[in-house]
Amino acid sequence: MCVQNACIFPQLAISVFISTVTGSEADMGKLQSKFRKRSELYRPSLEEKVETTSDFQVVQYEPAHRGSINTVTTMGPDLCVSGGTDQVVVVYDWKQGRACQSFQGHNREVTKLACYPGSTWIFSGSRDKTVLMWDLNQGDEPIQEFSGHELVVNGLAVSPDGRKLCTGSRDNWMCLWDIESAKCEQRRNISRNLVTHVCWVPGSTTVVQTSEDKTIRVWDSRSWKVTNTFPAKQYIQTHCDVCPDGYYVVSSSNGFGGQGCEATLWDLRQPGCKVVEYRGHLQTTACCVFLPKPPGGTALVATSSHDSSVKIWDQKSAVCLGTLSLDGAGPLVSLAPSDSSNVLCASFNSGLHHIQVIQGSGQGQSSGADAASGLEVRLVSRF
């Protein structure tokens, strides 16, 4: 049985800085999976104004993409990598507000991205069924191609030693590739396992993946077999993330009208152990991530939703510490922490947002502040 330890949490004040930008209308193409239908309902009106907070000017940078953004990840302390319906992979310096490099090689929209920490490698999955490997130091052509899936690639994860690449697709296949040779070394098909996301557990041979069949599977990369499955949820599992110590995994859920729409914390050390649920979003929770814990700080989880909001949660107690609503931004589909204070967020309608989360003493409030908790929400930049 899973038992939570009782503990006393210090008073928190969290400043969340977020930006939005109105994007141009773009051809959405075929949507990635069932839970992303009817996204046009979230398009902003032409009269919609950019949100600002008192005594704070929002910084507008050059947009990274034309059209909707499906995925964002971080590369080092200053750079993020994003991809979307314009089929381009963009490397962006979000601190300086400038695009550094772009890669064009896919012939359909980019769906997932992965970077290998400490390197200049980028892996991009696409609706064109392929994964391309890029290197910032080797020009603008792909240095490797991984072909073999029959449908859109929805999962990418690089092994901790940088030698293997795990991919998952809606074709029910989970594949393990040798990065140097681009050879598929392991393949396994599980009926109805329409993969939505893949994570490699830090410092281990274990892979975790979510699926449209509502199941979370744990794989051993040595035998390429499923070693554990968590109890099936009521709704499609859209995304997953593993904490840095490898003890916990968080998954997010499809839903509507507040039904489903939650994120769930699981204990990887106790098979099937559900720790807490993070409930509060009104539509599909598209992404969930652990935020790096600062020294002496509180462990936090961030979620983003089709309801155009980002929520910050206390990992252990599941208390929502802060909510930022971005009306008109559409589904917020991807989050990427850079460090304990900075997170990048991708949206369908309004580009990329820089979110800054600060745990401090909490002095004063601005528009959107939560009077009860003393949380302050500000918009900082957009690109």
Side-chain angles (χ1 to χ4, degrees):
M1 180 174 67
C2 181
V3 180
Q4 276 188 265
N5 295 326
C7 60
I8 300 174
F9 300 98
Q11 183 178 2
L12 295 179
I14 298 180
S15 297
V16 182
F17 301 82
I18 293 196
S19 62
T20 62
V21 59
T22 302
S24 60
E25 291 291 335
D27 180 12
M28 296 296 293
K30 293 184 180 178
L31 298 181
Q32 209 163 324
S33 57
K34 299 174 185 176
F35 58 84
R36 293 177 62 182
K37 291 181 179 179
R38 298 176 63 83
S39 61
E40 70 275 5
L41 296 177
Y42 307 102
R43 292 278 180 194
S45 65
L46 294 177
E47 296 79 21
E48 187 172 18
K49 295 181 180 179
V50 176
E51 295 184 31
T52 60
T53 57
S54 60
D55 303 322
F56 198 88
Q57 181 64 46
V58 177
V59 178
Q60 172 68 68
Y61 294 126
E62 184 70 20
H65 292 271
R66 294 177 299 167
S68 300
I69 301 176
N70 294 326
T71 178
V72 62
T73 189
T74 52
M75 172 180 273
D78 304 327
L79 303 180
C80 68
V81 187
S82 55
T85 57
D86 60 5
Q87 305 172 13
V88 182
V89 175
V90 176
V91 181
Y92 204 98
D93 186 329
W94 54 269
K95 289 186 177 180
Q96 298 295 322
R98 61 182 181 88
C100 300
Q101 194 163 349
S102 64
F103 300 101
Q104 300 185 48
H106 291 292
N107 57 42
R108 300 194 67 180
E109 65 184 280
V110 177
T111 53
K112 285 292 169 74
L113 291 164
C115 295
Y116 182 59
S119 79
T120 52
W121 292 354
I122 301 169
F123 299 86
S124 58
S126 170
R127 189 169 288 281
D128 67 12
K129 311 172 190 177
T130 69
V131 174
L132 297 180
M133 179 181 178
W134 317 85
D135 192 315
L136 282 180
N137 296 330
Q138 297 190 37
D140 56 6
E141 295 295 324
I143 62 173
Q144 203 67 279
E145 179 174 341
F146 305 84
S147 299
H149 283 293
E150 299 172 0
L151 291 172
V152 54
V153 177
N154 280 339
L156 286 177
V158 184
S159 64
D161 62 8
R163 299 175 61 186
K164 307 296 180 184
L165 176 70
C166 172
T167 64
S169 167
R170 292 197 73 208
D171 61 8
N172 302 328
W173 286 95
M174 284 280 289
C175 298
L176 187 67
W177 310 78
D178 177 78
I179 291 177
E180 184 177 1
S181 67
K183 178 183 177 181
C184 184
E185 297 183 333
Q186 301 277 5
R187 285 168 55 88
R188 190 168 295 272
N189 183 296
I190 297 177
S191 178
R192 303 183 66 183
N193 184 30
L194 284 72
V195 178
T196 56
H197 198 71
V198 170
C199 288
W200 209 296
V201 178
S204 79
T205 59
T206 302
V207 174
V208 180
Q209 58 109 168
T210 48
S211 171
E212 287 194 18
D213 69 359
K214 310 173 186 177
T215 302
I216 302 168
R217 293 178 173 86
V218 181
W219 295 72
D220 186 334
S221 63
R222 296 165 298 184
S223 63
W224 209 235
K225 293 181 179 179
V226 175
T227 58
N228 184 30
T229 58
F230 294 139
K233 299 282 287 182
Q234 187 175 358
Y235 294 90
I236 289 170
Q237 297 300 285
T238 58
H239 191 271
C240 60
D241 190 33
V242 179
C243 64
D245 61 16
Y247 294 160
Y248 298 100
V249 60
V250 62
S251 68
S252 53
S253 172
N254 182 30
F256 188 80
Q259 298 297 314
C261 312
E262 79 278 356
T264 305
L265 184 70
W266 308 88
D267 193 331
L268 280 171
R269 299 163 296 179
Q270 303 181 53
C273 177
K274 180 173 68 176
V275 183
V276 293
E277 289 185 333
Y278 309 98
R279 291 185 172 273
H281 285 298
L282 299 179
Q283 296 179 32
T284 292
T285 299
C287 188
C288 52
V289 294
F290 293 96
L291 300 187
K293 184 179 177 181
T298 299
L300 302 176
V301 168
T303 57
S304 64
S305 170
H306 286 202
D307 65 12
S308 302
S309 73
V310 174
K311 291 181 179 289
I312 309 296
W313 311 82
D314 184 295
Q315 179 183 316
K316 293 183 179 180
S317 69
V319 171
C320 183
L321 301 173
T323 298
L324 182 78
S325 296
L326 298 172
D327 295 338
L332 306 180
V333 292
S334 183
L335 295 170
S338 177
D339 52 42
S340 60
S341 300
N342 297 285
V343 183
L344 289 309
C345 176
S347 74
F348 266 26
N349 297 339
S350 54
L352 287 164
H353 317 267
H354 171 208
I355 307 172
Q356 192 172 46
V357 181
I358 299 176
Q359 300 186 44
S361 57
Q363 300 295 322
Q365 294 182 358
S366 61
S367 62
D370 186 330
S373 63
L375 302 185
E376 185 178 353
V377 181
R378 288 178 176 176
L379 303 178
V380 178
S381 65
R382 58 194 181 218
F383 52 100

